[in-house]
Amino acid sequence: MIRDEIIMLCTADLAGQIRGKGFPSSDLEARLKKGIGWTPTNSMITAHGPIAPSPWGPYGDTVLMPDPATEIRVDFGPETAACHFMMSDIMNLDGTPWSVCPRSFLKRMLAELEERHGLKLKAAFEHEFILEGIEERPNSSYALDAFRRQGRYAETYLGALKAAGLSIDTFMPEYGPRQYEVTVGPAEGVSAADEAVAVREIARAVAHNCGTRASFTPIMRPDTVGNGVHVHFCLLDAKSGTPVNYDAAAKNNVSDKAAQFLAGILRLMPALTAVTAASTISYLRLTPDRWSAAYNNLGERDREAGLRICPVFPGTGSDISRQFHFEFRAADAAASPYLLLGAIVAAGLHGLDEKLDRPKVCPSPPQHLSEMEREALGIVRLPQSLEEALDLFENEAALRPLFGEELSGAYLAHKRFEAQLMQELSPEAQCEKYGLAY
Ligand code: GLU
Ligand code: MG
């Protein structure tokens, strides 16, 4: 049989879905220059299929312009299509970025961080997911037996990531039934989000080739733990590339600059969840005692904090200021990695622009503090539904100008329609829908 390879140009859209168009690989050179046509209303296709009311209807044209640095190619042998794609920016026909493009939004936030504050961001995404088709046995959290039962999946996955120029930092069986976790090393700026897309898509491609499915759904069932996406990040001096997060003399060792950045994230976290925890079932996960994040609290080595100061390992002898970093935990894979990282940078920018006060570390789980104690620390419960989060996002004056009216308007319309679609369904039925969509 004669075969020729197809390359897909993709976007991680408002629903965090990877969609795009393909062309013969022999046309690559031309396509790198001219891209491929794309439709504005595609941004309103929800994760469940129906299209949210679109401001563009059937009108308008945009272009997917590929970034060749994001090329992923994994050859799965003669029996199946290669996994060959490139991430793209959605551009207007005149070559300017389209205001609703998630990747262009992240680039814009990173540029503002550099222009106004001389800073760059380095980040690594930690992903949890469910591997279907694996026998569920009691008491297999973190178990060697649970690792064994995923068969050849993990090793094929590592091989595929390596073929794509990535590598695994860690892979492990997680706490939940059939739940696994994968982390890759950190990358600078937009590449961190590009890599998050690759990690998810290669996980899905390998599962498909192993005759099973990997799902990054925020939570598999209302009674289980969730699948978090934890974003580890640190700030770098844009000129020298030196990390600027650590200060041995400062409270909790957090430098003044980093403290302002964190303060912005904490202040805006309730509104940000509309973007970072972007499904209706995300709010089943963001509940206390689930080791996710239920409050906008800063924690030190606390795995229930919305934002965590991560541990350093002085015993390893490596430079502590290079290890010292933070972790945003109120996120999941229903969020486009570009919107998620862009939202974190937007909130950090707000903290830097406003020179917000240094946040205090929460001394114990927020649910064990009195209302007054929480208030004194500026801690509030995160929204408990997508609708509540969207209302907060809509009314947050600090975020709207950073996101821009067109992106926020399209996002709100998309997500409000998605929430309506889910309204009549039980939490279990919603979990089932999202399980299939992600
Ligand atoms: N599964 C937890 C979550 O939903 C995270 C557990 C952990 O890795 O700390 O975020
Ligand atoms: Mg984990």
Side-chain angles (χ1 to χ4, degrees):
M1 207 189 345
I2 299 165
R3 286 181 46 192
D4 201 357
E5 199 160 307
I6 304 276
I7 305 179
M8 290 283 289
L9 300 188
C10 297
T11 174
D13 68 10
L14 300 186
Q17 296 288 322
I18 313 305
R19 303 187 203 270
K21 286 189 180 174
F23 61 87
S25 57
S26 49
D27 293 349
L28 178 59
E29 211 175 308
R31 290 289 175 192
L32 286 177
K33 289 198 194 92
K34 67 176 183 188
I36 204 164
W38 193 240
T39 308
T41 288
N42 286 356
S43 295
M44 305 309 276
I45 305 174
T46 63
H48 307 296
I51 304 177
S54 161
W56 310 284
Y59 296 99
D61 289 284
T62 51
V63 186
L64 289 171
M65 281 305 292
D67 179 346
T70 65
E71 181 172 11
I72 295 290
R73 184 179 182 278
V74 185
D75 189 345
F76 286 100
E79 299 304 322
T80 184
C83 171
H84 198 170
F85 67 92
M86 283 182 203
M87 297 315 291
S88 313
D89 293 327
I90 310 177
M91 307 298 245
N92 296 308
L93 301 189
D94 65 3
T96 54
W98 186 48
S99 52
V100 183
C101 167
R103 194 166 185 267
S104 306
F105 161 67
L106 171 59
K107 283 181 164 176
R108 188 158 55 77
M109 289 303 98
L110 292 166
E112 291 192 27
L113 181 67
E114 186 163 348
E115 277 157 26
R116 292 214 289 280
H117 301 283
L119 295 170
K120 281 190 172 164
L121 188 92
K122 194 154 109 177
F125 286 60
E126 178 186 328
H127 283 102
E128 293 169 338
F129 63 101
I130 303 297
L131 205 51
E132 285 176 5
I134 289 182
E135 182 200 353
E136 239 182 86
R137 279 191 209 158
N139 187 27
S140 46
S141 307
Y142 310 113
L144 179 57
D145 181 57
F147 175 75
R148 192 178 298 124
R149 269 181 291 121
Q150 52 70 40
R152 63 191 169 86
Y153 180 80
E155 292 189 352
T156 315
Y157 185 29
L158 173 58
L161 282 170
K162 278 196 170 161
L166 294 162
S167 190
I168 287 179
D169 184 34
T170 56
F171 181 94
M172 63 189 212
E174 247 288 355
Y175 179 80
R178 297 183 281 148
Q179 188 183 35
Y180 294 87
E181 178 187 296
V182 61
T183 48
V184 296
E188 251 181 54
V190 75
S191 304
D194 293 331
E195 288 191 0
V197 172
V199 163
R200 292 176 202 177
E201 284 307 304
I202 295 173
R204 290 176 175 128
V206 171
H208 179 77
N209 279 283
C210 289
T212 184
R213 247 195 105 234
S215 178
F216 291 77
T217 182
I219 191 162
M220 192 175 65
R221 289 194 308 251
D223 65 338
T224 59
V225 291
N227 286 321
V229 170
H230 304 159
V231 183
H232 293 257
F233 65 91
C234 65
L235 296 168
L236 309 176
D237 178 84
K239 284 212 183 82
S240 62
T242 322
V244 295
N245 313 278
Y246 183 78
D247 179 348
K251 186 118 178 93
N252 309 109
N253 298 140
V254 179
S255 72
D256 289 344
K257 275 258 178 281
Q260 288 175 1
F261 194 85
L262 299 187
I265 296 174
L266 292 164
R267 226 207 95 197
L268 298 178
M269 194 184 293
L272 278 191
T273 53
V275 174
T276 64
S279 73
T280 56
I281 62 166
S282 298
Y283 297 85
L284 297 172
R285 171 180 165 256
L286 298 183
T287 46
D289 303 319
R290 232 181 256 260
W291 287 44
S292 58
Y295 294 84
N296 64 336
N297 58 320
L298 179 63
E300 194 162 27
R301 298 162 70 173
D302 167 4
R303 283 193 178 74
E304 276 223 335
L307 190 60
R308 183 169 86 113
I309 304 172
C310 294
V312 288
F313 303 89
T316 59
S318 80
D319 184 351
I320 286 180
S321 73
R322 292 193 174 273
Q323 296 181 25
F324 195 67
H325 73 277
F326 316 103
E327 180 189 18
F328 182 93
R329 297 177 62 88
D332 59 52
S336 164
Y338 302 103
L339 292 181
L340 166 53
L341 203 57
I344 292 173
V345 178
L349 264 173
H350 169 70
L352 289 163
D353 291 343
E354 300 295 317
K355 299 193 169 46
L356 292 184
D357 288 343
R358 171 178 290 275
K360 291 196 182 75
V361 164
C362 184
S364 57
Q367 62 271 32
H368 298 168
L369 299 178
S370 70
E371 193 62 48
M372 256 169 61
E373 288 170 312
R374 280 199 293 268
E375 215 177 288
L377 291 162
I379 295 174
V380 294
R381 179 77 172 83
L382 293 178
Q384 288 170 57
S385 69
L386 180 59
E387 290 94 328
E388 193 192 328
L390 292 167
D391 288 346
L392 290 174
F393 177 78
E394 183 169 35
N395 294 316
E396 182 46 75
L399 283 176
R400 293 295 289 267
L402 290 164
F403 275 73
E405 278 313 308
E406 276 163 338
L407 175 57
S408 350
Y411 188 80
L412 284 166
H414 180 133
K415 286 292 162 178
R416 284 192 168 131
F417 179 76
E418 180 176 329
Q420 255 174 38
L421 287 178
M422 295 293 106
Q423 214 168 33
E424 301 297 316
L425 301 179
S426 67
E428 288 76 9
Q430 291 180 40
C431 285
E432 214 166 291
K433 286 247 178 223
Y434 280 105
L436 292 172
Y438 290 94

